[in-house]
Amino acid sequence: GENVEQHPSTLSVQEGDSAVIKCTYSDSASNYFPWYKQELGKRPQLIIDIRSNVGEKKDQRIAVTLNKTAKHFSLHITETQPEDSAVYFCAASGPRGYSTLTFGKGTMLLVSP
Amino acid sequence: DGGITQSPKYLFRKEGQNVTLSCEQNLNHDAMYWYRQDPGQGLRLIYYSQIVNDFQKGDIAEGYSVSREKKESFPLTVTSAQKNPTAFYLCASSHRTSGELVKNIQYFGAGTRLSVL
């Protein structure tokens, strides 16, 4: 089945720095890769996603890149702000076709002022 | 907020007791999901349902049961067979993914925190 590995588990940066979170997946059939942000005590919310036919996608300060050959994808946050502090989860479609997602274990991002 | 409502926010279970977590959505989504979240473990799929009166086991279904009698509702029962039920439970919903052209964008409820007395 699908297995999603996410690194690092924690990441501390200074305000204004960039942050990068990396994920690898095992099922070459996976074709959809969303990223969710979960603030403390709140529900996970989708922040950006990418399909397997696209190599990169940007939305203001966040971007996601995908390398299908290597089966890894990354989240990039530029000009980090304290409100970016949260747990970030990557996910990949499968292993039950397109009907489910397999999530990574999460990265706690701490942005210090 | 809104769209997916989970209740209660906090729940306590006694030894040998079954408890039921509620999940209701008004997004007209066909698919609904239950996840368990433990510290450092991410979100693990318990059960999911793509359509009314049908549901499938996820990765950690043992000790749990579900029903899907209405499109809007997908309750989860944590049975006494689940020996380690203390966790944060999240319900989600999405449009039904009938093929690779449809994104499985899942929307989450606010969660129920279950503890054992």
Side-chain angles (χ1 to χ4, degrees), chain A residues 31-32 34 36 38 41-46 49 51 57 87 89 95-96 98-106, chain B residues 1 4 33 35 37 40 42-43 45 48 50 57-59 90 97 99-106 108-110:
Chain A
N31 67 345
Y32 174 62
Y36 284 81
Q38 186 178 28
K42 296 194 175 181
R43 70 189 75 194
Q45 292 192 307
L46 179 71
D49 57 11
R51 290 195 158 285
K57 183 178 179 181
V87 178
F89 294 98
R96 301 164 188 86
Y98 314 109
S99 60
T100 60
L101 296 174
T102 298
F103 286 84
K105 293 186 176 182
Chain B
D1 284 359
I4 303 178
Y33 313 81
Y35 292 93
Q37 186 174 23
L43 279 68
L45 183 66
Y48 68 103
Q50 291 276 289
K57 292 182 179 180
D59 299 316
L90 286 162
T97 50
E100 64 178 288
L101 297 180
V102 180
K103 292 184 186 180
N104 188 349
I105 299 177
Q106 297 187 13
F108 286 85

Side-chain angles (χ1 to χ4, degrees), chain B residues 31-66:
Chain B
M32 297 187 74
Y33 313 81
W34 274 105
Y35 292 93
R36 171 176 171 146
Q37 186 174 23
D38 296 282
Q41 293 297 315
L43 279 68
R44 293 183 290 169
L45 183 66
I46 304 173
Y47 269 99
Y48 68 103
S49 169
Q50 291 276 289
I51 199 168
V52 173
N53 293 323
D54 185 54
F55 49 83
Q56 306 295 329
K57 292 182 179 180
D59 299 316
I60 55 167
E62 186 174 351
Y64 301 97
S65 66
V66 294

Side-chain angles (χ1 to χ4, degrees), chain B residues 9-13 19 21 64 78 85-89 112-116:
Chain B
K9 188 172 182 179
Y10 300 97
L11 186 59
F12 297 91
R13 193 191 88 168
V19 292
L21 285 61
Y64 301 97
V78 184
T86 298
F88 189 54
Y89 291 86
T112 293
R113 190 165 297 280
L114 175 63
S115 301
V116 177

